[in-house]
Amino acid sequence: MYQTLLTSIQEGIYIITINRPDKLNALNQQVMRDLEEVLDEIYTNNLIRSAIITGTGPKSFVAGADIGEFVGLNPLEGEALAKKGQDIFFKIENSPKPIVAAVNGFALGGGCELAMSCHFRIASDNAKFGQPEINLGIIPGYGGTQRLTQLIGKGRTLEMIMTGNMIDAPTALQYGLVNHVVPQAELLDKAKAILAIINAKAPLAVAAAITAANAVFDETQNGFATEVRAFGQCFGTEDMKEGTTAFLEKRKPVFKGA
Ligand code: COA
């Protein structure tokens, strides 16, 4: 169905595997188009409750944007490329359904940026993160300067971006860039186990949590006001009635997403 992605759905979890093994899953324009399309599917397909993005093979999540496609671009074309990439990654970040990055190896440049646009990240013990664009005479353009600063702070971000050095999985964990580090063989199971817990919760409340947390970094809104609104909206849902009633009746809630 997709030229560069493998997809499967398991118990509401949509597993998306970027599949360009000969190029360490680098993001060329076809991968970006496929990602855009798969996001439409995530947003609209009711069978999908959450998603995992990972890379094919044991070595690389995504080794960056496809450097071959940079050659010969002028400044305006460079801007357009960054804008397009940012728009796609905003669509990941703003997805009402949780999207988790299962980082199975190199997450460099656009690969690190892709992982950071996901709601959280789990890494295999061989994962390596970096923004090596400086080695090409450029900077990150798919949101890396912003999201890396949000996640690990300005000092660590500028050191990574200006040196181009990679960090290993334990360092990424220590920095707060990833939530968990597990042996590679357990990576997908770990992501699935966390999403299985989330998938049992009220979907509208899950979406509200994403909206409110994203508002922290959106200068056009007041995050606390967004939280108030999102909190209030939860009180208009069937699932809120079910959740509170089930608690008081000492039974497990059955949420419907309404
Ligand atoms: N864009 C295009 N092709 C890429 C790529 C990228 N970002 N990253 C890797 N590849 C290709 C290599 O060119 C090579 O292709 P070839 O076999 O046709 O020559 C293939 O993937 C395998 O990579 P290779 O460099 O041989 O593997 P390695 O194990 O020696 O090194 C890396 C792995 C990740 C350290 C190295 O590939 C690398 O530095 N990649 C670029 C990372 C980068 O700068 N990303 C940011 C881009 S903005």
Side-chain angles (χ1 to χ4, degrees), residues 22-24 26 59 63-67 70 106 108-109 132-133 136:
D22 53 326
K23 295 291 175 193
L24 301 183
K59 187 171 165 183
D66 194 307
I67 297 168
F70 288 172
F106 289 117
L108 303 177
E133 290 88 346
L136 306 170

Side-chain angles (χ1 to χ4, degrees), residues 64-170:
D66 194 307
I67 297 168
E69 292 183 348
F70 288 172
V71 179
L73 295 188
N74 66 32
L76 278 181
E77 290 164 336
E79 266 189 39
L81 185 76
K83 177 74 173 61
K84 183 73 193 160
Q86 286 193 5
D87 285 348
I88 295 169
F89 288 4
F90 276 132
K91 206 162 165 180
I92 296 176
E93 186 167 60
N94 292 320
S95 161
K97 302 175 187 176
I99 303 179
V100 172
V103 179
N104 56 304
F106 289 117
L108 303 177
C112 189
E113 291 169 301
L114 170 64
M116 290 193 295
S117 70
C118 293
H119 296 117
F120 56 89
R121 288 140 295 283
I122 300 166
S124 59
D125 45 14
N126 67 322
K128 288 218 161 54
F129 295 81
Q131 298 287 167
E133 290 88 346
I134 201 83
N135 298 324
L136 306 170
I138 57 175
I139 64 166
Y142 293 172
T145 61
Q146 306 302 294
R147 290 197 182 92
L148 197 56
T149 307
Q150 292 162 4
L151 286 164
I152 70 171
K154 186 172 161 187
R156 288 164 169 167
T157 294
L158 281 176
E159 183 180 336
M160 281 180 71
I161 290 178
M162 295 192 298
T163 62
N165 287 347
M166 296 183 208
I167 58 170
D168 60 12

Side-chain angles (χ1 to χ4, degrees), residues 18-243:
I18 299 175
N19 188 37
R20 288 187 78 208
D22 53 326
K23 295 291 175 193
L24 301 183
N25 306 321
L27 301 173
N28 65 4
Q29 288 310 301
Q30 186 59 47
V31 180
M32 295 302 270
R33 275 193 294 276
D34 286 349
L35 279 175
E36 208 173 0
E37 225 174 285
V38 91
L39 283 161
D40 287 335
E41 241 195 297
I42 292 172
Y43 273 59
T44 57
N45 184 342
N46 289 336
L47 296 175
I48 298 172
R49 298 287 305 279
S50 57
I52 297 171
I53 300 180
T54 192
T56 212
K59 187 171 165 183
S60 182
F61 172 69
V62 167
D66 194 307
I67 297 168
E69 292 183 348
F70 288 172
V71 179
L73 295 188
N74 66 32
L76 278 181
E77 290 164 336
E79 266 189 39
L81 185 76
K83 177 74 173 61
K84 183 73 193 160
Q86 286 193 5
D87 285 348
I88 295 169
F89 288 4
F90 276 132
K91 206 162 165 180
I92 296 176
E93 186 167 60
N94 292 320
S95 161
K97 302 175 187 176
I99 303 179
V100 172
V103 179
N104 56 304
F106 289 117
L108 303 177
C112 189
E113 291 169 301
L114 170 64
M116 290 193 295
S117 70
C118 293
H119 296 117
F120 56 89
R121 288 140 295 283
I122 300 166
S124 59
D125 45 14
N126 67 322
K128 288 218 161 54
F129 295 81
Q131 298 287 167
E133 290 88 346
I134 201 83
N135 298 324
L136 306 170
I138 57 175
I139 64 166
Y142 293 172
T145 61
Q146 306 302 294
R147 290 197 182 92
L148 197 56
T149 307
Q150 292 162 4
L151 286 164
I152 70 171
K154 186 172 161 187
R156 288 164 169 167
T157 294
L158 281 176
E159 183 180 336
M160 281 180 71
I161 290 178
M162 295 192 298
T163 62
N165 287 347
M166 296 183 208
I167 58 170
D168 60 12
T171 308
L173 185 64
Q174 188 209 329
Y175 281 8
L177 184 54
V178 303
N179 290 12
H180 306 276
V181 175
V182 295
Q184 186 161 63
E186 294 165 24
L187 181 64
L188 277 187
D189 283 345
K190 179 72 180 175
K192 283 188 221 166
I194 297 173
L195 286 176
I197 295 172
I198 298 173
N199 285 356
K201 311 299 181 196
L204 294 172
V206 168
I210 293 171
T211 301
N214 282 352
V216 174
F217 303 113
D218 180 350
E219 283 172 7
T220 66
Q221 41 178 325
N222 176 313
F224 285 96
T226 300
E227 182 183 274
V228 164
R229 234 179 2 261
F231 180 78
Q233 279 164 4
C234 291
F235 283 72
T237 64
E238 289 297 316
D239 282 346
M240 180 270 179
K241 290 187 194 80
E242 167 63 10

